[in-house]
């Protein structure tokens, strides 16, 4: 009869409707039967026939009326439910282009319009969500690029923190903070290495100069030995004051221009040592603090175990303090190790410099001694020369009044020189 | 004047009014030549005519041979095939099926008339034949409309199903009335039988046309979508 494509068998709308109609007909038939039987006996056959016919006709009318009702309004309701169910299923599957047109103004028409409004709202909401997702994907892509750039060495890049999503904003801010700190730390490390590099370069240069100075002295001493520089007397005179200066000293003091610069190098290394000591003090302090915090945590733990209520929360805090203290101690230990390595390295550097200096000083000392010997020899030679010269000039000159003092002086000098 | 005459007169008027209403609708749509708009009017005009003639007959102005049964069946022979044909036309069924339905319908009515005017075993033979034709017609109507429902949109589906249900279920009442009538068990008088037929006729035909007029929006959707409707 009426095709119910929706509900299942006994539960369907159509079945219920038909059951209602059937029930009504049964009632009417019962009423009719009742009416007929109540008068049947009292009537003449033809009248009885008329009454029966009349009652049956009424039942026919009822039937026809019910058929009209069911075929129009009943069928209409069922179809509308079917249609809306089908449309809703399509929307559920994701097809939001379903057609929901109607020109009815009754409740069913309103239902259609409500469905249509819901479909439109869903479409809009999904569109917005997709747009937002696209924006977030783009932002995430941007973050990815920034991280890659930083990993490749460009520490100046930062993430865009002005985004809708709270979680992503937090990520961006944290990352930027981390990069700021990293950039600063790297810059400081760079400065430190630059300073050390500079100091090392200075040291190299100064050592080089000292070497050159000693080579010059060596060369001069050699020249003196070979007697190359002995020809002009003026040169000898020039050499004499510096030789005197060299002879006059008792403690081994190398040439002046080498000493000051090496002092500067040692000075900067000493500065480094002082800094190391300071770091040492700081790490010691951190260790002390860590120890105290640990003690505090232990105490807190002990106190917590005594108290019943709220012990758990207290213990959690105590545990956290404890782990924090351990971490701090670990960090302090690491710093100590690092400073120790740097210090030993520095000590080695200082030692090597001092060794170099000592070697340099020995060389210079030896050269100075040789120079001193050479200049004494030179002095003796000069004196002998001047005596001879005097003797020569004295014998040849018609000096009327020879100065007995000068003669005496010369003789003493000669004696002093030869008796050396 | 018998009350039956009054009922027949009322029926005639109702048929005429429904014809006029549908004519107005057709004029508004601007389609007066298409079978889609002509056939429903033809149905109600035929019904109006037959009932007017039945009024005349009840007043005794017609020759003895022509009784209500004759007039009735003559009209049914013409109007009911049109109803079956039109229903399948709206459903978009093939021309062959439509014509087959119309033919079965005419055979059903013819056999029904045979059952009405004969007696004894012959009557029941005619009755069974008519029922068989009716069964075949029902099958065509159901399958034809079901196919259309599968293919069509939701709105047109509702109207088609309503029209089909109305027609099929009401037509099922006719044989029941016949069985209870003086031709059958004789539980209902001739006058009451006529009254039942009148009500059935009006319900089926005016109901059919009235339903289409009440749901014009859906009707236009059906007519817009099915190209064979214009055939």
């Amino acid at each position: 009869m009426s095709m119910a494509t929706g509900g299942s068998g006994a539960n369907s709308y159509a079945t219920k409707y038909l059951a209602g109609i059937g029930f009504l007909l049964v009632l009417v038939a019962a009423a009719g039967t009742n009416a007929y039987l109540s008068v049947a006996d009292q009537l003449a056959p033809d009248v009885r026939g008329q009454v029966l016919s009349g009652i049956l006709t009424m039942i026919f009318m009822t039937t026809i009326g019910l058929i009209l009702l069911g075929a129009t309004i009943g069928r209409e309701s069922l179809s509308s439910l079917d249609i809306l169910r089908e449309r809703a299923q399509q929307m559920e599957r994701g097809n939001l282009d379903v057609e929901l047109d109607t020109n009815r103004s009754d409740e069913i028409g309103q239902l259609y319009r409500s469905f249509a409004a819901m479909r439109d709202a869903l479409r809009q909401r999904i569109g917005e969500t997709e747009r937002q997702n696209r924006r977030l994907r783009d932002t995430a892509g941007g973050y990815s690029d920034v991280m890659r750039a930083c990993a490749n060495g460009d520490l100046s890049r930062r993430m865009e923190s002005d985004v809708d999503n709270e979680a992503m904003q937090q990520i961006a801010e944290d990352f930027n903070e981390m990069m700021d700190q990293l950039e600063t730390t790297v810059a400081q490390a760079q400065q430190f290495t630059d300073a050390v590099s500079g100091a090392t370069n200075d040291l190299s240069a100064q050592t080089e100069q000292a070497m050159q100075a000693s080579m010059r002295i060596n060369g001069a001493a050699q020249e003196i030995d070979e007697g190359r520089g002995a020809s002009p007397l003026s040169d000898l005179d020039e050499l004499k004051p510096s030789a005197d200066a060299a002879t006059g000293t008792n403690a081994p003091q190398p040439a002046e221009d080498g000493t000051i610069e090496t002092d500067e190098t040692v000075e900067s290394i000493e500065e480094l040592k002082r800094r190391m000591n300071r770091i040492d003090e700081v790490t010691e302090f951190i260790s002390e603090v860590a120890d105290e915090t640990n003690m505090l945590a232990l105490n807190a733990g002990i106190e917590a175990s005594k108290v019943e209520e709220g012990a758990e929360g207290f213990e959690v805090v105590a545990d956290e303090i404890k782990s924090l203290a351990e971490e701090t101690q670990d960090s302090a230990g690491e710093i100590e190790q690092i400073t120790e390595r740097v210090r030993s390295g520095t000590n080695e550097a200082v030692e090597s410099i001092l060794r170099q200096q000592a070697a340099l000083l020995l060389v210079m000392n030896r050269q100075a001694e040789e120079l001193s010997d050479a200049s004494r020899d030179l002095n003796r030679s000069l004196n002998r020369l001047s005596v001879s010269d005097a003797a020569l000039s004295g014998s040849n000159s018609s000096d009327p009044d020879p100065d007995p003092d000068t003669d005496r002086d010369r003789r003493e000098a000669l004696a002093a020189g030869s008796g050396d | 004047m018998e009350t039956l005459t009054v009922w027949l007169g009322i029926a005639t008027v109702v048929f005429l009014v429904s014809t006029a209403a549908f004519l107005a609708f057709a004029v508004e749509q601007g389609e007066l030549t298409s079978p889609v708009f002509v056939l429903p009017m033809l149905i109600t005009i035929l019904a109006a005519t037959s009932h007017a003639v039945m009024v005349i007959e009840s007043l005794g102005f017609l020759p003895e041979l022509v009784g209500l049964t004759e007039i009735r069946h003559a009209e049914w022979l013409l109007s009911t095939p049109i109803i079956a044909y039109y229903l399948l036309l709206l459903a978009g069924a093939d021309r062959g099926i439509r014509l087959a339905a119309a033919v079965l319908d005419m055979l059903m009515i013819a056999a029904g008339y045979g059952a009405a005017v004969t007696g004894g075993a012959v009557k029941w033979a005619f009755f069974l034949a008519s029922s068989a034709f009716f069964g075949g017609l029902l099958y065509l109507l159901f399958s034809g409309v079901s196919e259309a429902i599968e293919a069509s949109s939701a709105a047109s589906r509702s109207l088609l199903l309503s029209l089909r249900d109305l027609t099929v279920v009401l037509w099922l009442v006719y044989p029941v009335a016949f069985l209870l009538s003086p031709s059958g068990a004789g539980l209902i008088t001739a006058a009451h039988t006529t009254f039942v037929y009148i009500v059935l006729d009006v319900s089926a035909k005016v109901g059919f046309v009235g339903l289409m007029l009440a749901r014009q929006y859906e009707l236009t959707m059906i007519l817009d979508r099915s190209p064979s409707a214009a055939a």
Side-chain angles (χ1 to χ4, degrees):
Chain A
M1 206 177 283
S2 31
M3 278 195 183
T5 49
S8 51
N11 257 342
S12 79
Y13 188 76
T15 312
K16 293 178 199 169
Y17 202 89
L18 292 172
I21 289 177
F23 182 62
L24 180 60
L25 283 175
V26 166
L27 280 180
V28 170
T33 311
N34 193 39
Y36 176 72
L37 291 175
S38 64
V39 293
D41 304 326
Q42 305 155 27
L43 298 170
D46 53 337
V47 177
R48 199 187 314 148
Q50 290 275 358
V51 167
L52 178 63
S53 175
I55 290 172
L56 287 171
T57 307
M58 272 177 61
I59 294 174
F60 266 107
M61 295 303 111
T62 311
T63 309
I64 293 169
L66 287 171
I67 291 169
L68 283 170
L69 194 65
T72 53
I73 295 173
R75 168 53 74 186
E76 202 178 33
S77 310
L78 187 61
S79 295
S80 300
L81 288 173
D82 235 15
I83 291 163
L84 284 172
R85 176 190 53 83
E86 189 206 346
R87 296 285 188 258
Q89 276 177 352
Q90 280 185 23
M91 284 204 281
E92 184 194 1
R93 272 184 235 122
N95 173 20
L96 291 182
D97 285 327
V98 289
E99 179 206 320
L100 284 164
D101 296 331
T102 182
N103 75 328
R104 303 166 63 139
S105 53
D106 60 356
E107 284 86 340
I108 291 179
Q110 284 170 18
L111 191 59
Y112 268 74
R113 277 184 277 275
S114 301
F115 260 76
M118 181 178 75
R119 168 202 63 194
D120 294 338
L122 274 174
R123 234 186 274 170
Q124 195 184 18
R125 193 88 40 95
I126 287 173
E128 276 176 19
T129 310
E130 279 179 355
R131 274 193 295 276
Q132 197 183 31
N133 279 353
R134 228 175 294 134
R135 274 200 299 269
L136 285 176
R137 268 202 299 274
D138 291 342
T139 311
Y143 286 6
S144 195
D145 290 339
V146 168
M147 282 197 269
R148 215 174 299 128
C150 290
N152 285 340
D154 183 4
L155 300 181
S156 63
R157 297 285 297 278
R158 295 289 179 271
M159 285 181 181
E160 179 62 57
S161 60
D162 184 17
V163 282
D164 265 340
N165 187 292
E166 212 182 278
M168 295 196 90
Q169 193 178 18
Q170 192 61 45
I171 289 171
E173 283 173 8
D174 288 347
F175 179 82
N176 290 344
E177 209 183 291
M178 179 187 82
M179 286 313 298
D180 286 340
Q181 287 182 5
L182 196 64
E183 228 185 349
T184 313
T185 310
V186 166
Q188 285 176 352
Q190 191 70 40
Q191 277 178 6
F192 179 70
T193 30
D194 285 345
V196 171
S197 175
T200 322
N201 286 343
D202 285 346
L203 187 63
S204 293
Q206 285 153 20
T207 318
E208 183 72 29
Q209 283 177 16
M211 283 292 184
Q212 281 179 6
S214 72
M215 272 172 26
R216 276 204 297 277
I217 295 170
N218 212 9
Q222 272 189 346
E223 281 177 17
I224 293 171
D225 264 348
E226 288 167 14
R228 245 180 275 141
S231 19
L233 284 172
S234 54
D235 286 345
L236 280 174
D237 283 333
E238 277 180 28
L239 207 51
K240 207 163 178 280
S242 43
D244 275 341
T247 334
T249 57
N250 42 13
Q253 274 180 17
E256 275 199 8
D257 48 48
T259 311
I260 294 171
E261 281 153 349
T262 340
D263 272 346
E264 274 186 12
T265 312
V266 175
E267 180 65 34
S268 48
I269 289 172
E270 291 295 315
E271 174 70 30
L272 203 64
K273 276 182 95 168
R274 279 197 287 275
R275 289 214 191 105
M276 291 286 110
N277 288 335
R278 248 182 268 141
I279 293 174
D280 238 359
E281 287 170 28
V282 169
T283 49
E284 244 190 74
F285 175 68
I286 293 173
S287 274
E288 283 177 23
V289 170
D291 280 338
E292 283 189 24
T293 318
N294 219 3
M295 286 294 290
L296 204 72
L298 279 171
N299 283 337
I302 293 166
E303 289 302 315
S305 67
K306 290 183 190 166
V307 178
E308 290 280 329
E309 251 178 43
E312 228 186 75
F314 210 2
E315 262 191 65
V316 168
V317 173
D319 282 335
E320 285 197 18
I321 296 174
K322 228 182 140 151
S323 61
L324 191 70
E326 281 169 15
E327 276 178 46
T328 317
Q329 265 189 323
D330 288 340
S331 306
E334 278 180 43
I335 296 174
E336 252 194 76
Q337 281 182 3
I338 292 169
T339 52
E340 203 42 55
R341 277 202 295 271
V342 176
R343 181 183 299 112
S344 65
T346 322
N347 282 346
E348 280 177 31
V350 171
E351 275 175 41
S352 87
I353 288 168
L354 290 176
R355 253 180 279 138
Q356 280 182 30
Q357 253 198 337
L360 196 64
L361 289 173
L362 276 173
V363 168
M364 286 181 161
N365 203 14
R366 217 180 312 124
Q367 287 169 355
E369 279 184 17
E370 287 177 13
L371 195 65
S372 179
D373 289 341
S375 57
R376 255 185 245 123
D377 289 340
L378 190 66
N379 242 347
R380 245 184 276 135
S381 310
L382 283 170
N383 284 340
R384 272 198 228 112
L385 270 169
S386 50
V387 166
S388 325
D389 182 56
L392 272 170
S393 59
S395 61
N396 284 345
S397 75
S398 50
D399 190 13
D401 195 23
D403 189 10
D405 288 35
T406 49
D407 272 339
R408 208 179 19 255
D409 286 343
R410 282 208 188 105
R411 274 205 291 279
E412 279 173 13
L414 187 62
S418 58
D420 188 52
Chain B
M1 190 188 299
E2 288 177 35
T3 51
L4 200 57
T5 315
V6 175
W7 295 126
L8 288 166
I10 294 173
T12 311
V13 170
V14 169
F15 283 126
L16 287 173
V17 167
S18 68
T19 310
F22 200 82
L23 181 65
F25 169 67
V27 167
E28 186 198 3
Q29 292 289 313
E31 301 246 21
L32 283 178
T33 52
S34 163
V36 177
F37 291 90
V38 168
L39 291 177
M41 291 194 287
L42 191 57
I43 295 169
T44 47
I45 285 181
L46 282 171
T49 310
S50 76
H51 283 76
V53 170
M54 280 195 265
V55 165
I56 297 170
E57 199 278 345
S58 72
L59 291 173
F61 293 136
L62 288 179
E64 201 53 46
L65 279 171
V66 179
L68 290 178
T69 311
E70 284 66 35
I71 301 168
R72 208 181 289 137
H73 280 91
E75 183 242 299
W76 286 353
L77 194 65
L78 296 172
S79 63
T80 53
I82 298 176
I83 294 176
Y85 184 89
Y86 189 73
L87 188 59
L88 288 170
L89 182 67
L90 284 183
D94 294 335
R95 194 178 176 79
I97 295 180
R98 303 201 299 257
L99 290 175
V103 167
L104 275 175
D105 186 290
M106 290 171 90
L107 288 172
M108 173 184 75
I109 301 297
Y113 180 68
V117 296
T118 58
V122 182
K123 181 216 295 288
W124 296 116
F126 272 122
F127 183 78
L128 285 173
S130 180
S131 302
F133 292 131
F134 189 30
L137 175 61
L138 283 181
Y139 173 76
L140 282 180
L141 287 178
F142 263 94
S143 62
V145 176
S146 300
E147 267 179 46
I149 288 168
E150 298 297 317
S152 74
S153 74
S156 44
R157 200 183 304 175
S158 175
L159 178 59
L160 277 176
L161 287 174
S162 286
L163 290 171
R164 183 198 68 184
D165 289 349
L166 184 72
T167 306
V168 164
V169 180
L170 280 178
W171 283 6
L172 283 169
V173 182
Y174 284 86
V176 178
F178 176 82
L179 288 172
L180 294 179
S181 73
S183 302
L187 291 173
I188 314 179
T189 64
H192 285 165
T193 310
T194 306
F195 181 71
V196 170
Y197 284 148
I198 292 169
V199 173
L200 279 172
D201 275 359
V202 169
S203 303
K205 297 184 175 77
V206 176
F208 194 95
V209 172
L211 203 56
M212 287 200 294
L213 289 175
R215 300 199 204 162
Q216 286 175 34
Y217 184 71
E218 293 180 46
L219 181 62
T220 49
M221 283 175 85
I222 296 173
L223 298 176
D224 284 341
R225 272 161 226 245
S226 52
S228 59

